[in-house]
Amino acid sequence: MLSWDELEARCRSCQGCGLADSRRSVVVGAGPRDAEIMLVGEGPGHQEDVQGLPFVGPAGRLLDEMLELIDLSRERDVYITNLVKCRPPQNRDPLNEEQDACIGYLRNQVALIRPKIIVCLGRISAMRLIKPDYKITLEHGQWVEKAGVHMTAIYHPAAVLRDPGRRPEVFQDLMGLRDKIAAVCTRTHL
Ligand code: URA
């Protein structure tokens, strides 16, 4: 396992897949390194690539609102990162080989943070981290435990921006997250 400094340096110089050629930034992640909750999205978009931070575009603003609904803040409570650390061109889904090249960095982040809860943001993250045949429309908000970590997936905020009709389901899932935090977290104040 690499230390945070080693991990960041390794990510910043990574040439592990083709996304290295078109990136402006490597978006490693952001938030407290002792967070009990990790959020894992898909990959950086345009704004994230420009600023070098995860979820800072329109989807990120909605994510902040979603967190606020259950009194979570990204500065204090959650570490946010993505399956792949470099932007896929035209915001396409990250390819399997790109995910394969990058997943070790995420595993290293999980090992360093040792979260109690991991929330997958969207289908792609859930398919990689929960199970390959994950069906987000059917299974969002359900909880599984893997290696002692409580895991769930919710709709990706970008999907909610495209289809605001999904908001009630997201709200339900956030209530479920709040309950899970109350049950398993010790340092996260709701
Ligand atoms: N969408 C993602 O999945 N991740 C980001 O960081 C931004 C948008």
Side-chain angles (χ1 to χ4, degrees):
M1 178 171 77
L2 303 175
S3 70
W4 277 110
D5 286 350
E6 290 165 337
L7 178 67
E8 295 234 342
R10 206 65 84 77
C11 286
R12 296 206 189 286
S13 62
C14 184
Q15 296 289 331
C17 78
L19 299 181
D21 298 335
S22 51
R23 73 178 174 225
R24 266 188 251 192
S25 314
V26 179
V27 181
V28 179
R33 291 172 172 181
D34 62 349
E36 292 183 294
I37 305 157
M38 272 182 87
L39 306 183
V40 182
E42 227 169 80
H46 172 69
Q47 274 301 322
E48 290 75 21
D49 185 44
V50 170
Q51 297 185 42
L53 292 167
F55 283 95
V56 288
R61 282 193 288 281
L62 180 57
L63 180 62
D64 286 339
E65 285 175 31
M66 288 160 55
L67 294 173
E68 269 170 38
L69 281 173
I70 53 172
D71 292 318
L72 294 177
S73 87
R74 66 161 89 193
E75 293 76 22
R76 188 187 56 208
D77 301 309
V78 294
Y79 186 87
I80 306 178
T81 186
N82 284 300
L83 270 187
V84 298
K85 312 303 190 208
C86 300
R87 182 188 184 205
Q90 279 87 46
N91 296 346
R92 64 159 168 73
D93 294 345
L95 305 175
N96 275 336
E97 61 252 38
E98 293 160 354
Q99 297 181 28
D100 292 345
C102 216
I103 196 77
Y105 299 133
L106 179 60
R107 287 194 207 292
N108 203 137
Q109 288 172 305
V110 173
L112 287 165
I113 294 172
R114 301 204 295 128
K116 300 265 177 47
I117 291 174
I118 296 178
V119 180
C120 302
L121 300 174
R123 180 178 69 92
I124 303 290
S125 169
M127 286 172 62
R128 187 72 202 212
L129 302 184
I130 298 179
K131 57 175 184 172
D133 61 346
Y134 194 90
K135 297 276 179 293
I136 189 86
T137 50
L138 300 177
E139 296 178 89
H140 66 87
Q142 295 179 13
W143 288 87
V144 296
E145 206 179 319
K146 274 192 159 190
V149 182
H150 300 270
M151 304 191 58
T152 192
I154 65 176
Y155 282 121
H156 194 290
V160 183
L161 287 176
R162 283 194 300 272
D163 180 2
R166 289 178 174 167
R167 276 175 184 255
E169 289 167 278
V170 174
F171 185 77
Q172 279 306 315
D173 293 347
L174 290 169
M175 295 301 113
L177 172 59
R178 188 179 60 178
D179 292 345
K180 186 61 78 175
I181 293 169
V184 306
C185 293
T186 52
R187 289 175 281 111
T188 305
H189 296 290
L190 293 170

